[in-house]
Amino acid sequence: MSSRRLLRLQMIVSIGLLVGLTLGFLLGVWLVSYGLLELLETGALEVVTVGSAALLTVVAVAGSGRLEALLAFPVVWLAIYALAVFTAPSSQVLATIGSTSLLAAIATLEYRQVGTIERAADAVPVEPDNAPSIHRTATRVAALYDVPVPTIAISERDTPEAMAVGLRPRNVHLVLSLGTVRALSDAELEAVIAHELAHVANRDAMVMTAASVPVVLAKGIRTHLDDDTSGTVVAVPLVFVASATALLGRVVTAGLSRVRERAADRAAAEATGSPAALASALLTLDERIDETPSRDLRAVSSVSSLSILPLEDDTVEKLMLGPDGDVEPSYWWLRKRLQRLSNWFFRTHPPTTSRLESLQALENEHR
């Protein structure tokens, strides 16, 4: 099987797993809601309608950013209650209303709390006149992919960052750090830009955003219910369902992310006609990341999954103990293996050595 077909098969399998996980998560939340309603027996109608009205009011406040939206609570509750009384709902209908309201509130809260990537990357949009070489290169590469020319945003950080931000091609910002621009030659920078715009052409932002829905919802439920000490009957089963979904979702989305990175590598190599340029760029940036202090990597960890290379240290630091510094930490062998296992499951990028090997194979095909 060719590498192109293998990538396509891996993507199809990953998307299938994510769809199944999403449906399973929604079913789990619904079953918990239904089970609790059956336990309540009496008063379920009031509990569900009041709870749904409160959650929808939270959504309204979060969406508008205005506390005055709290005044809508009695109106929302009366509307839901009147509809429920009129339709004489069963426990199944009430469970659907309650779980839908919960998920809508969690989704709104989670996405409202996420800041823009540019702010996280500390990048500022620049005019073409202020970065003419980068703009010319981006324009040329965008034409190859038939996508709109992105807005160029530059970060003054020395950490080697490169990412394309934006769900729709028309609104994409190409974020580059000065560390990246200074480290690369013109050909290498063109290859990096080609890799990032390949993500735009492949609609990877939309794919990964859709793929992250179950993980975001599950993390939101877990975060907001972990501190719930007033009703453990409600919190425990939902937190269990959310934790299992978040864990499995991270594994699958990380796998899908690795597939998309390989696809972008291949597309960039074909667009520029030089797999060697991208390989050289990856090697240079990887070396720069290894030389970057851990504190600087922690500062950009929030955008690590979006950059061309992961901006985080995936190794466990070994601190020797004892008066002479010759005593190995307890269970060091176990910690190393657990870290390797975590990298294998949750790594968002393929290992750089593996990417270089794939690019070398493409270079050999072009000769």
Side-chain angles (χ1 to χ4, degrees):
M1 182 181 294
S2 68
S3 59
R4 188 189 298 272
R5 288 185 177 179
L6 182 60
L7 286 174
R8 187 175 301 170
L9 177 60
Q10 289 174 331
M11 185 179 70
I12 292 173
V13 171
S14 297
I15 292 175
L17 289 173
L18 284 167
V19 171
L21 181 64
T22 302
L23 295 177
F25 171 62
L26 296 178
L27 177 61
V29 173
W30 185 88
L31 286 174
V32 170
S33 302
Y34 177 72
L36 293 174
L37 289 174
E38 287 293 299
L39 289 174
L40 285 172
E41 293 183 356
T42 59
L45 180 62
E46 287 74 14
V47 170
V48 171
T49 55
V50 170
S52 298
L55 289 171
L56 293 176
T57 302
V58 168
V59 171
V61 173
S64 64
R66 299 174 63 88
L67 290 176
E68 292 85 348
L70 289 171
L71 300 175
F73 171 76
V75 177
V76 175
W77 176 73
L78 284 173
I80 295 176
Y81 187 80
L83 179 63
V85 171
F86 178 76
T87 58
S90 61
S91 294
Q92 291 92 333
V93 175
L94 287 175
T96 302
I97 294 173
S99 56
T100 301
S101 300
L102 172 65
L103 293 174
I106 292 297
T108 301
L109 290 173
E110 288 301 303
Y111 279 109
R112 285 284 296 180
Q113 289 175 357
V114 177
T116 64
I117 301 299
E118 277 183 18
R119 191 180 304 123
D122 196 23
V124 178
V126 296
E127 296 296 327
D129 292 342
N130 295 330
S133 177
I134 296 175
H135 190 269
R136 283 195 302 269
T137 302
T139 301
R140 183 169 62 254
V141 173
L144 293 174
Y145 289 127
D146 193 24
V147 297
V149 179
T151 298
I152 308 298
I154 301 295
S155 163
E156 294 187 357
R157 289 173 172 162
D158 290 329
T159 310
E161 306 166 47
M163 65 198 79
V165 180
L167 287 178
R168 294 179 296 175
R170 291 181 178 275
N171 299 327
V172 166
H173 285 205
L174 176 63
V175 178
L176 299 169
S177 68
L178 288 181
T180 295
V181 175
R182 291 167 178 166
L184 302 179
S185 66
D186 291 343
E188 291 171 339
L189 185 59
E190 180 182 26
V192 167
I193 292 174
H195 172 97
E196 293 306 322
L197 293 191
H199 284 305
V200 178
N202 293 336
R203 301 294 196 275
D204 284 343
M206 290 184 181
V207 171
M208 295 308 299
T209 299
S212 68
V213 167
V215 178
V216 170
L217 290 176
K219 284 185 176 179
I221 288 178
R222 189 174 60 185
T223 299
H224 294 288
L225 292 182
D226 268 345
D227 298 329
D228 182 8
T229 57
S230 61
T232 54
V233 173
V234 176
V236 170
L238 281 179
V239 168
F240 176 78
V241 171
S243 298
T245 301
L247 179 63
L248 293 174
R250 279 188 62 199
V251 172
V252 180
T253 52
L256 180 59
S257 176
R258 292 193 295 270
V259 172
R260 304 317 299 154
E261 289 297 330
R262 288 190 182 278
D265 282 350
R266 172 177 282 274
E270 293 176 349
T272 61
S274 178
L278 180 58
S280 176
L282 292 178
L283 185 59
T284 299
L285 295 179
D286 193 58
E287 291 172 349
R288 287 299 183 98
I289 291 174
D290 288 341
E291 296 169 359
T292 303
S294 297
R295 64 178 182 277
D296 293 340
L297 292 179
R298 286 194 292 269
V300 294
S301 60
S302 61
V303 297
S304 174
S305 62
L306 298 175
S307 190
I308 189 170
L309 286 172
L311 304 171
E312 54 192 356
D313 190 358
D314 58 4
T315 61
V316 181
E317 185 178 0
K318 186 176 183 180
L319 298 176
M320 300 300 289
L321 306 176
D324 298 324
D326 56 354
V327 179
E328 192 174 78
S330 301
Y331 302 104
W332 175 247
W333 60 272
L334 179 60
R335 292 173 59 189
K336 287 195 301 182
R337 284 164 175 76
L338 288 176
Q339 183 64 41
R340 289 175 190 155
L341 189 63
S342 175
N343 292 342
W344 193 80
F345 278 119
F346 303 121
R347 187 193 294 269
T348 57
H349 295 66
T352 303
T353 52
S354 176
R355 296 171 72 177
L356 294 177
E357 290 171 0
S358 298
L359 290 169
Q360 181 61 54
L362 283 177
E363 182 71 25
N364 294 337
E365 290 178 8
H366 287 185
R367 290 177 181 172

